[in-house]
Amino acid sequence: KIAGETSKAYDEIFTLSYVTGRSVGIGAYLVRLGQRIIQMKQGPMLLTGYGALNKLLGREVYNSQDQLGGPQVMYPNGCTHEVVDDDQQGVASIIQWLSFVPKTTDSLPAVRESA
């Protein structure tokens, strides 16, 4: 049910997820259903662990979760929109992203005067 609600919310409101630690399986799937993802450097997002994939492939191809869903993979491929070092940077990033979101779905984002 939560996957359906998250998917529906994508078209109705601004959605943002903050990955602070390993996010595996449905957790990683739900994060990806949102519009924006902030990922901590130590927080891989993956559907299946590297051990299971190696077993499926019948040989050692991967040796870490980061190879599958670490920020060095997810940021360049566009899944992650921002990478942060710690929770303080993560919260600051959330606040900054929210500053661009209109107060209601019917209104325009805030505009600042330029020099």
Side-chain angles (χ1 to χ4, degrees), residues 4-5 7 19-20 25 27 30 38 42 48 53-54 58-60 77 95-96 100 102 104 114:
E5 293 297 323
S7 181
V19 178
T20 61
L30 290 173
I38 301 167
Q42 294 81 20
T48 304
L53 287 176
N54 285 340
R59 60 190 173 100
E60 297 295 313
N77 75 17
I95 292 168
Q96 183 175 4
F100 296 106
T104 67
S114 62

Side-chain angles (χ1 to χ4, degrees), residues 3-16:
E5 293 297 323
T6 303
S7 181
K8 184 179 172 186
Y10 187 96
D11 293 327
E12 297 175 357
I13 61 171
F14 175 73
T15 57
L16 181 145

Side-chain angles (χ1 to χ4, degrees), residues 42-60:
Q42 294 81 20
M45 296 184 301
L46 47 135
L47 294 177
T48 304
Y50 77 95
L53 287 176
N54 285 340
K55 187 174 181 178
L56 179 69
L57 295 169
R59 60 190 173 100
E60 297 295 313

Side-chain angles (χ1 to χ4, degrees), residues 20-63:
T20 61
R22 183 177 11 198
S23 180
V24 181
I26 189 68
Y29 178 72
L30 290 173
V31 166
R32 189 59 192 105
L33 289 175
Q35 295 172 347
R36 294 289 179 268
I37 300 172
I38 301 167
Q39 185 177 8
M40 194 182 298
K41 283 186 179 175
Q42 294 81 20
M45 296 184 301
L46 47 135
L47 294 177
T48 304
Y50 77 95
L53 287 176
N54 285 340
K55 187 174 181 178
L56 179 69
L57 295 169
R59 60 190 173 100
E60 297 295 313
V61 176
Y62 303 103
N63 57 27

Side-chain angles (χ1 to χ4, degrees), residues 76-92:
N77 75 17
C79 286
T80 293
H81 300 90
E82 190 166 354
V83 177
V84 297
D85 291 321
D86 55 37
D87 284 333
Q88 188 169 358
Q89 284 184 353
V91 171

